[in-house]
Amino acid sequence: MNENGNVTIIDGVKTLKDILPPDGMPVYALFVGKFPIRESVEAGHYYQGKMGQEFWNMLKQYGIIEDKVGYILHQEYEDDDFPRYGFGLTDVVKRPGVSGQKLNPDYVAKGYDRLKRLIKERDVKIVVFLYKEVLKEILCVKDFWVEGDTIERGFDKSNYKMFFNKAEVFVFPGMGRQRNKSEEQCFMRQLKDRIDELNKKESGCNV
């Protein structure tokens, strides 16, 4: 266990704490996962499993975060640098799980309430769901889902932002076996462009 990592205790369970920019700094994008996997909790850092590394690599590939030799050598971790970009990290369920594990509806409902408070308190601009099934779980548990609705990857076109304090909703392109390269390039560039726009607006530059 990396005791200097982002570990905390919630309801008596060791898990990963939320990562956010310091109070007063903008939160351009809050990346929301399903739950921390056990490998990540043991490492003390987000997304240390095989698919998690794919997530970090995609952010680097599209220039959303920079690449550093320290990441390769595990002398530095991507999540420690996240706040300086104006990014945050959290999970819908804060209890550790294993890949493929189903979400407990009660935990999802509580997780949504916590997520919505966090978005409001920090005025989050974009909520990035790493898995579209997690967004669907939230919508179903809270009775927001309407039969026939669909969730598309990329920026939401169904006005789901009304359920997230009007923050923009972005669903991450598929990873692993779901990966579609042309779709990925389109949506990741959209995300990068939108973050750049927010950054320029905050710094007082013309967009």
Side-chain angles (χ1 to χ4, degrees), residues 5-187:
N6 301 304
V7 177
T8 189
I9 304 294
I10 297 178
D11 296 331
V13 177
K14 189 174 289 187
T15 186
L16 294 177
K17 65 184 178 182
D18 292 347
I19 293 178
L20 291 161
D23 288 344
M25 287 185 62
V27 183
Y28 300 129
L30 177 64
F31 292 77
V32 182
K34 188 175 183 179
F35 46 62
I37 64 168
R38 301 189 188 282
E39 294 97 317
S40 296
V41 175
E42 289 302 314
H45 294 277
Y46 277 84
Y47 303 117
Q48 295 305 302
K50 183 178 179 180
M51 193 169 291
Q53 289 300 313
E54 193 171 341
F55 162 70
W56 291 126
N57 289 337
M58 287 170 69
L59 294 187
K60 296 167 195 170
Q61 179 182 346
Y62 292 98
I64 293 173
I65 64 172
E66 65 177 298
D67 203 354
K68 295 166 70 172
V69 174
Y71 299 151
I72 299 170
L73 301 177
H74 290 294
Q75 295 170 341
E76 300 175 89
Y77 289 85
E78 293 90 343
D79 58 356
D80 287 336
D81 285 335
F82 241 42
R84 73 182 179 89
Y85 295 106
F87 299 160
L89 281 162
T90 189
D91 294 286
V92 171
V93 176
K94 296 305 293 184
R95 301 175 71 89
V98 295
S99 180
Q101 181 177 325
K102 297 291 185 181
L103 291 173
N104 180 306
D106 290 339
Y107 292 159
V108 173
K110 291 177 183 176
Y112 167 75
D113 293 340
R114 183 183 63 84
L115 180 60
K116 191 174 180 182
R117 286 196 303 271
L118 178 59
I119 292 167
K120 183 177 181 179
E121 289 169 2
R122 294 305 308 270
D123 192 24
V124 173
K125 305 304 182 187
I126 308 170
V127 185
V128 180
F129 285 95
L130 298 193
Y131 307 99
K132 66 179 185 178
E133 61 267 26
V134 173
L135 174 56
K136 184 175 180 179
E137 288 272 358
I138 289 174
L139 297 174
C140 289
V141 165
K142 301 301 289 187
D143 291 327
F144 300 145
W145 184 259
V146 177
E147 193 64 35
D149 279 356
T150 58
I151 295 175
E152 303 295 337
R153 302 188 193 279
F155 279 103
D156 166 60
K157 299 177 179 65
S158 304
N159 206 29
Y160 291 136
K161 66 181 183 181
M162 72 174 70
F163 307 125
F164 298 96
N165 199 46
K166 299 183 180 178
E168 295 180 73
V169 174
F170 180 91
V171 179
F172 210 73
M175 294 181 283
R177 287 177 294 179
Q178 297 180 337
R179 201 163 178 180
N180 178 312
K181 202 64 181 174
S182 60
E183 179 185 81
E184 172 189 311
Q185 291 173 351
C186 174
F187 294 142

